[in-house]
Amino acid sequence: MRRLPVYLVLDTSGSMSGEPIQAVKNGVQMLVSSLRQDPQALETAFLSVITFDSSAHELVPLTDLPSFQAPNISATGVTAMGEALSLVAECAKRDVVKASATQKADWRPMVFLMSDGVPTDDFEKGLARFKLEKWGAVVACAVNDADVSILQRIAPESVVQLDTSDSASMSAFFKWVTASIGLSSKSVQSGKELEGLNQLPPPPPEIQVVV
Amino acid sequence: MSNLLSEKFVTPSLPDFIRNLVGTLDAMHREGKYHGKISKEIKPWMDSSGVNFDRDNFRSSAVELGNDVEAQIQQDVKNFVTCSKYWISSPTASLEADFKADLYQGKNLPMLFLKFLESCNPESGSTLRTMADFVKTLEQTPEPNAAAPVEPPQISPPASPPPSTHTANTQFSIALRNGTVGKPYEIEPSAIARAIANQRKDDPEKARISHLQLPDGCGLQFNEQTGAVTGIPIKALEEQLHLDYVPSPNETSITCKVSLLINPDPASLWKDLPPPADAPYQKDLLDDKEYTLGDFRIIAASRRGRSHANKGDFRDDDFAVGYADSTGWLVVVVADGAGSAKYSRKGSQIACMVTSERLVAALNTPEYQTISPPQIEQAEGGPVKPRKWLKELLHEAALDAHYKIQGEADQPSETLPEPPTIRNYDTTLIILVMKKLERGCFTATFSIGDGGAGILDTPDYAEPLTHADGGEHAGQTTFVTISSTVSNTPENLDKRFKMSTTMDFTAALVMTDGITDPKFPSDAAFSDPACWQSLWQELEPALVSSKSLLDWMNFFSPGNHDDRTLIAILPATTPSEE
């Protein structure tokens, strides 16, 4: 079966501590719970959680939705975004099945990256590594004071912004990510991949699309 | 500070910090302060009461409940408890006893506080008032002997109670492996105890679980002897459970949280919605037919896929069967309308009708009467030219389908909200023509897009008769509605045309990708006779009638929920055999 790999790449640096990180945690939980009610997503979507603070961690390797268990996330340290980009690229290279004579290819992976900061490590190196892999939809979400221009280099046409990191707007963001994964898993089952923001469901009012 | 609510609690036996908590929350809410502010102000004395208070967590888990101050306070107290990292332990039935015992021993009060709040029936009036009454009744109750343990009865050898910090302040939680409704579930003996022991750095060999409360009627059983969990889940759930953990035979049990998630059976989540009744190009969701035509018996069925039913979309697949009775040529066509094209159900229907009618008319002429294997072998493009190369004939039929669909797009037969384009009718197309020879059987195919056809002879022969038009990426294909796909170039024709002569055959199968995707998981599988034979094993019992084929086609295969169409061509049984 062709899988739809989804990587959630989440900023867990110290500035996210408190309400924001709790909201992220709830968001991941909510995302998984509602995707489990969607028969196409339940079968097709595979989820991985990668976090970055002073370094990047593969918190949950690519896992089918039925087996997925929401991880415990805490916030500390600085913003190793470059390392996170390298890591997600390495994970995708390792995880995503390429087409061969005996096996059909996975769908191109979706990436949702969320950050409220500015990279504190070698961002260029990470970005270069990230660009080597083939991605489906890549969406970057700038929270609070994140540097939008940096995120635009990761996802040139698909940067969205949350002006506040309270639970309401975080929850709106994760609901939208959920809808996007749901739509994508339907779409791939009828043979069509989604690539950019314009093919995803329209973001709710809490989320601004950065042009 | 004006402690409005705490004034109701003239309860010297309650520790100060509980009264302070309620009072402070009350006062602050009435002053209209935010949760951030509240948490900041309560933190210092919460800490001084020895409670490990996670302020950020408290603030972020706060829920705004509008002007209902009492509900707000109740919610905040719950959050406070969660943030204080206390365990929620025994069932609410023993609440009162626990509350009393712990009240006098000064243990786990916030936890009991929460349990109390939860146990209060919200219908019976204000929770806080009920609590005040409850506390009053407690005050009238004589204090029990503080030394008497109020432990659940099932615990192993009597032992000195562990230090209270050991139970109350150690945070560890366990998540059991997720299950799925209807699939056998097993957690190996002792695995849970070992996992907790490792977290707590206890001796895993000595640890055991004395009790695990699984939800009633969930289909799983906990074996208290072995510590295994087994069974077949019967309902979906996501719950926090509790278990009693015994670190070693000399110690008393500790209650801890354990989470369990059972996924719904994916098959149960699919909806079966009818397509909109006012949509143009209405079409049956199921179709099945069976025929005996000359030397052939044909069983055909087509059904709407789950992914279409889930959204209330139409069946986009279609098929047609024709027979040139003067020459004995059989014509079989299947087409799969693209999910992304809004009128593809009509496109596939036109493609099947047009090609089958045209081919029957053409093949019903004397030129196609005789055809012999040597001629077929020698010819570079098909049987020696009777009137036209067979290859060209099939190609022209496909081209005709293209133009007829173009015609429909130009002048739709139904009223459409806006002028369509030919790409609104995108469809694949597989044409198979077949003729019994004096010895053996001749088959030719022309295919555009995915799905496939093949011929097999038991026990071990199978020959695929199509190349799937797969793209470089998963899911790409091509359609009869695309001009370049039906172009007249020799390369294009050669790629799409295939023919074969077999001495005997058990069956020829023509299928859309709703069948080929689940049954032939790769291109290699499609070329593998073993895969065809195993499909045949599965299919043969269903070929007693087109209805039973239709039933068989409802098989469940994860990730494969497209429309399914299959036409089986079998040698007609001779009268003597019937």
Side-chain angles (χ1 to χ4, degrees):
Chain A
M1 197 192 76
R2 302 160 180 179
R3 308 178 301 170
L4 174 66
V6 179
Y7 292 91
L8 300 179
V9 184
L10 307 171
D11 185 338
T12 55
S13 60
S15 53
M16 291 284 285
S17 71
E19 183 168 350
I21 200 69
Q22 185 61 35
V24 166
K25 228 185 320 191
N26 296 345
V28 172
Q29 183 72 54
M30 189 273 304
L31 176 138
V32 176
S33 295
S34 43
L35 284 180
R36 282 201 177 103
Q37 301 306 316
D38 174 343
Q40 272 141 326
L42 187 61
E43 289 177 352
T44 317
F46 281 62
L47 203 56
S48 169
V49 179
I50 288 172
T51 59
F52 57 102
D53 36 64
S54 298
S55 58
H57 318 272
E58 186 186 22
L59 214 55
V60 182
L62 200 63
T63 306
D64 60 298
L65 270 183
S67 314
F68 185 91
Q69 300 196 327
N72 198 18
I73 302 172
S74 55
T76 171
V78 291
T79 311
M81 197 189 296
E83 197 181 320
L85 289 174
S86 301
L87 181 61
V88 67
E90 289 301 331
C91 291
K93 188 181 176 196
R94 181 196 64 201
D95 299 335
V96 179
V97 174
K98 312 278 185 305
S100 70
T102 55
Q103 206 167 13
K104 283 183 182 163
D106 282 339
W107 303 98
R108 284 181 296 167
M110 301 177 87
V111 177
F112 293 91
L113 181 142
M114 172 186 266
S115 177
D116 75 336
V118 179
T120 52
D121 65 344
D122 188 348
F123 175 76
E124 297 302 330
K125 186 177 160 201
L127 183 65
R129 175 66 192 88
F130 182 78
K131 297 280 182 197
L132 289 179
E133 298 300 317
K134 281 198 164 63
W135 304 103
V138 177
V139 176
C141 176
V143 181
N144 289 340
D145 306 325
D147 185 340
V148 169
S149 62
I150 287 277
L151 297 183
Q152 277 175 326
R153 299 188 55 206
I154 303 171
E157 316 231 304
S158 309
V159 175
V160 297
Q161 191 162 22
L162 289 180
D163 282 340
T164 59
S165 54
D166 58 18
S167 12
S169 40
M170 285 284 195
S171 156
F173 173 74
F174 278 98
K175 273 186 192 143
W176 176 67
V177 172
T178 306
S180 300
I181 297 172
L183 182 68
S184 192
S185 63
K186 278 179 190 57
S187 181
V188 295
Q189 287 204 0
S190 57
K192 191 160 161 279
E193 282 174 296
L194 303 185
E195 289 176 348
L197 205 55
N198 55 349
Q199 292 173 305
L200 299 179
E206 291 87 344
I207 302 176
Q208 295 160 16
V209 175
V210 181
V211 193
Chain B
M1 186 183 299
S2 83
N3 288 352
L4 300 174
L5 268 165
S6 57
E7 281 164 11
K8 297 181 195 167
F9 296 81
V10 190
T11 54
S13 26
L14 271 180
D16 286 345
F17 74 90
I18 289 287
R19 280 188 290 150
N20 278 336
L21 173 70
V22 178
T24 310
L25 291 170
D26 185 18
M28 287 178 167
H29 277 295
R30 285 178 207 277
E31 286 170 30
K33 289 185 180 171
Y34 296 110
H35 287 101
K37 182 92 173 157
I38 293 175
S39 57
K40 187 177 173 191
E41 291 189 22
I42 60 178
K43 184 163 173 61
W45 57 261
M46 201 71 85
D47 287 345
S48 68
S49 305
V51 177
N52 182 9
F53 181 65
D54 183 345
R55 178 186 148 199
D56 291 329
N57 218 334
F58 175 83
R59 198 182 73 192
S60 61
S61 51
V63 179
E64 288 296 343
L65 290 172
N67 293 327
D68 188 347
V69 174
E70 291 193 346
Q72 186 72 63
I73 295 168
Q74 187 183 342
Q75 182 65 40
D76 281 348
V77 171
K78 282 188 190 179
N79 288 340
F80 157 75
V81 169
T82 313
C83 301
S84 303
K85 299 182 168 60
Y86 279 87
W87 302 117
I88 304 163
S89 68
S90 44
T92 45
S94 65
L95 170 78
E96 190 174 329
D98 284 359
F99 193 100
K100 284 181 198 171
D102 283 354
L103 182 67
Y104 295 121
Q105 289 173 12
K107 290 200 318 194
N108 287 0
L109 271 164
M111 167 191 87
L112 294 159
F113 198 76
L114 171 68
K115 284 197 299 183
F116 174 73
L117 290 176
E118 285 183 333
S119 72
C120 294
N121 180 358
E123 308 299 330
S124 71
S126 159
T127 301
L128 288 166
R129 203 169 310 284
T130 318
M131 180 174 69
D133 295 338
F134 180 64
V135 172
K136 280 202 190 100
T137 66
L138 283 180
E139 285 173 322
Q140 289 150 14
T141 316
E143 185 174 341
N145 181 352
V150 192
E151 293 290 349
Q154 74 272 27
I155 301 304
S156 51
S160 57
S164 60
T165 51
H166 190 62
T167 56
N169 291 339
T170 316
Q171 186 187 23
F172 54 94
S173 63
I174 291 287
L176 302 184
R177 191 166 64 75
N178 296 351
T180 296
V181 168
K183 286 191 185 164
Y185 183 93
E186 185 183 6
I187 293 181
E188 299 71 25
S190 323
I192 305 172
R194 275 203 303 275
I196 299 176
N198 288 335
Q199 271 197 37
R200 287 171 41 98
K201 313 224 183 318
D202 293 333
D203 182 350
E205 297 307 315
K206 291 183 179 159
R208 58 180 277 266
I209 306 298
S210 61
H211 182 69
L212 167 59
Q213 184 69 49
L214 290 163
D216 285 341
C218 72
L220 297 178
Q221 295 82 39
F222 174 67
N223 183 326
E224 294 191 2
Q225 258 62 50
T226 65
V229 179
T230 52
I232 297 178
I234 53 181
K235 62 179 182 190
L237 54 89
E238 186 165 4
E239 279 192 41
Q240 289 287 331
L241 312 171
H242 302 102
L243 58 73
D244 293 327
Y245 167 82
V246 186
S248 75
N250 296 328
E251 290 177 79
T252 48
S253 72
I254 299 162
T255 299
C256 75
K257 280 197 287 194
V258 53
S259 59
L260 173 66
L261 189 153
I262 302 295
N263 292 285
D265 176 359
S268 71
L269 296 173
W270 294 98
K271 296 193 271 290
D272 192 4
L273 304 175
D278 56 351
Y281 302 127
Q282 291 284 324
K283 185 157 144 180
D284 290 338
L285 306 181
L286 301 172
D287 191 7
D288 70 282
K289 293 197 175 64
E290 48 187 287
Y291 318 79
T292 302
L293 298 168
D295 300 309
F296 305 104
R297 166 115 184 111
I298 294 101
I299 299 170
S302 177
R303 72 179 306 141
R304 182 171 70 149
R306 278 181 203 90
S307 61
H308 291 218
N310 198 47
K311 289 184 289 180
D313 289 347
F314 285 91
R315 173 173 61 97
D316 293 335
D317 275 11
D318 220 304
F319 70 87
V321 175
Y323 184 66
D325 45 14
S326 71
T327 53
W329 279 97
L330 175 71
V331 179
V332 162
V333 190
V334 302
D336 172 8
S340 52
K342 56 184 170 184
Y343 304 131
S344 64
R345 58 184 176 279
K346 184 65 179 176
S348 60
Q349 193 182 48
I350 296 174
C352 289
M353 259 168 44
V354 168
T355 49
S356 66
E357 282 171 10
R358 184 187 170 106
L359 285 170
V360 167
L363 291 167
N364 221 0
T365 52
E367 291 94 325
Y368 292 96
Q369 180 69 54
T370 51
I371 181 168
S372 66
Q375 285 174 305
I376 297 159
E377 301 299 333
Q378 286 155 16
E380 61 176 45
V384 178
K385 194 171 188 175
R387 194 171 65 186
K388 266 199 184 88
W389 302 116
L390 191 57
K391 181 162 73 176
E392 288 168 15
L393 191 69
L394 296 189
H395 170 250
E396 280 180 11
L399 204 56
D400 203 13
H402 178 90
Y403 289 126
K404 285 284 178 352
I405 295 172
Q406 181 68 64
E408 179 68 26
D410 293 342
Q411 286 186 307
S413 56
E414 302 207 12
T415 314
L416 304 178
E418 52 195 71
T421 70
I422 186 170
R423 297 300 307 275
N424 294 142
Y425 298 84
D426 276 357
T427 180
T428 69
L429 178 67
I430 299 177
I431 305 169
L432 178 145
V433 295
M434 203 165 179
K435 182 173 161 57
K436 188 98 168 60
L437 306 174
E438 252 172 65
R439 285 187 62 237
C441 195
F442 172 80
T443 314
T445 59
F446 192 86
S447 66
I448 290 170
D450 47 22
I455 190 162
L456 61 96
D457 193 17
T458 49
D460 51 17
Y461 176 80
E463 185 184 353
L465 293 173
T466 51
H467 298 289
D469 269 300
E472 283 170 30
H473 299 292
Q476 288 181 346
T477 190
T478 189
F479 304 109
V480 73
T481 36
I482 298 173
S483 306
S484 60
T485 302
V486 286
S487 74
N488 194 18
T489 62
E491 308 81 62
N492 191 35
L493 262 56
D494 284 346
K495 191 168 75 180
R496 308 201 172 282
F497 182 78
K498 214 166 184 319
M499 54 182 185
S500 160
T501 308
T502 47
M503 279 304 109
D504 283 307
F505 78 104
T506 309
L509 306 175
V510 190
M511 302 161 277
T512 59
D513 64 347
I515 303 282
T516 52
D517 277 355
K519 296 304 175 189
F520 301 97
S522 66
D523 290 349
F526 193 70
S527 315
D528 180 2
C531 268
W532 284 88
Q533 293 294 342
S534 80
L535 169 61
W536 177 248
Q537 300 260 310
E538 216 186 305
L539 185 60
E540 190 186 9
L543 292 177
V544 290
S545 71
S546 56
K547 291 280 183 241
S548 73
L549 174 60
L550 203 55
D551 286 344
W552 175 81
M553 288 196 328
N554 203 23
F555 62 81
F556 198 88
S557 166
N560 295 301
H561 306 292
D562 203 356
D563 294 345
R564 292 173 178 160
T565 300
L566 187 150
I567 303 183
I569 304 154
L570 315 170
T573 44
T574 58
S576 62
E577 283 172 314
E578 276 172 356

